[in-house]
Amino acid sequence: MVMAAGLGRRMRPLTASQPKPMVRVAGKPLIDHALDRIAEAGIARAIVNVHYFADVLEAHLKERASPEIRVSDEREMLLETGGGMVHALPHLPDPFFSLNSDNIWLDGPRDAFRDLSACWDASRMDALLLLVPHQRAINFSGPGDFHMDAGGQLQRRAPGRIAPFIFTGIQIVSHRLLRDAPGGKFSTNVLWDRALGEGRLHGAAFTGQWFEVGTPEAIRPTEDALILG
């Protein structure tokens, strides 16, 4: 599942007349960076949710040959990450990959999806998050998101502290994570918190480089790094 329904407020003014996934970086829309990686990894189908400038995004998606794309329509209500997953659940395998449509990354020895798949264990995990250390997170200046122990179990960063790992926006999600989910719009964080309490939220360290492209100012440094790299 590719999360593409958000309002893209941090990317204004570029999102005043288009959805954030259509903002161009290094010659192509952000969402095509993600979909190209999906196709290269041999993933046959992607579910893409739409809300903001939905017609623009849907028209663009129809032009792609691969992967096969099915739209999850959130025109009536933006459901956020957790609600978006629940809305699309009838069309999602168990488990499924989920990623943000504004993700740009350079793979290491293995692609990001194989990095995750190699660590996935359904008997111990409800979700497996692809994490990157600060030195591999280009344009990122925040305090980080998670601590990870030797077995991959996660703890959230404490307030006022720094955590060594940043969530890339890419994860494997089991249908079990979405059980008894709230109705309507809600964040995946609600379900992560439950999984954390049950010891079933895990992480895997990414072997490549990940780019934070959340603002217009991040576009040029990202393009420069992609050219070099």
Side-chain angles (χ1 to χ4, degrees), residues 10-11 20 23-25 30 33 102-105 138-140 210-223 226:
R10 292 176 60 223
M11 191 60 86
K20 183 180 179 182
V23 172
R24 299 182 76 84
V25 176
L30 278 165
H33 287 274
D102 58 355
N103 264 340
I104 294 181
W105 69 89
I138 312 302
N139 302 327
F140 185 83
W210 172 79
F211 297 85
E212 163 72 11
V213 195
T215 64
E217 293 74 21
I219 293 176
R220 177 57 64 84
T222 299
E223 291 176 332
L226 290 173

Side-chain angles (χ1 to χ4, degrees), residues 167-183:
F167 176 48
T168 62
I170 307 171
Q171 59 182 317
I172 293 180
V173 178
S174 168
H175 284 205
R176 187 178 187 277
L177 182 75
L178 304 177
R179 73 191 189 280
D180 303 321

Side-chain angles (χ1 to χ4, degrees), residues 106-125:
L106 293 174
D107 286 317
R110 291 186 298 201
D111 68 60
F113 303 104
R114 286 178 175 82
D115 270 348
L116 274 177
S117 296
C119 298
W120 175 250
D121 182 350
S123 68
R124 298 188 300 118
M125 304 171 186

Side-chain angles (χ1 to χ4, degrees), residues 1 3 5 49 72-74 77-90 92 96 98 177-178 181-191:
M1 181 169 186
M3 298 292 182
N49 66 344
S72 181
D73 195 333
E74 297 180 22
M77 177 186 292
L78 179 59
L79 295 171
E80 300 187 22
T81 51
M85 286 183 189
V86 171
H87 185 65
L89 193 60
L92 294 169
F96 61 93
S98 172
L177 182 75
L178 304 177
K185 61 180 181 179
F186 70 94
S187 169
T188 313
N189 280 300
V190 173
L191 306 177

Side-chain angles (χ1 to χ4, degrees), residues 17-142:
S17 58
Q18 64 181 337
K20 183 180 179 182
M22 291 300 296
V23 172
R24 299 182 76 84
V25 176
K28 63 184 177 182
L30 278 165
I31 194 168
D32 283 345
H33 287 274
L35 291 170
D36 287 349
R37 292 294 193 204
I38 288 170
E40 290 164 7
I43 298 169
R45 189 177 71 176
I47 310 298
V48 181
N49 66 344
V50 299
H51 172 79
Y52 184 63
F53 283 103
D55 292 347
V56 174
L57 185 53
E58 194 166 2
H60 176 74
L61 295 173
K62 288 179 180 178
E63 297 176 356
R64 288 193 58 97
S66 65
E68 175 192 342
I69 293 172
R70 178 174 292 176
V71 168
S72 181
D73 195 333
E74 297 180 22
R75 283 174 170 85
E76 292 187 5
M77 177 186 292
L78 179 59
L79 295 171
E80 300 187 22
T81 51
M85 286 183 189
V86 171
H87 185 65
L89 193 60
H91 307 295
L92 294 169
D94 187 13
F96 61 93
F97 291 111
S98 172
L99 66 153
N100 296 334
S101 60
D102 58 355
N103 264 340
I104 294 181
W105 69 89
L106 293 174
D107 286 317
R110 291 186 298 201
D111 68 60
F113 303 104
R114 286 178 175 82
D115 270 348
L116 274 177
S117 296
C119 298
W120 175 250
D121 182 350
S123 68
R124 298 188 300 118
M125 304 171 186
D126 286 350
L128 177 64
L129 281 53
L130 190 67
L131 306 175
V132 63
H134 286 262
Q135 64 267 29
R136 294 182 183 271
I138 312 302
N139 302 327
F140 185 83
S141 58

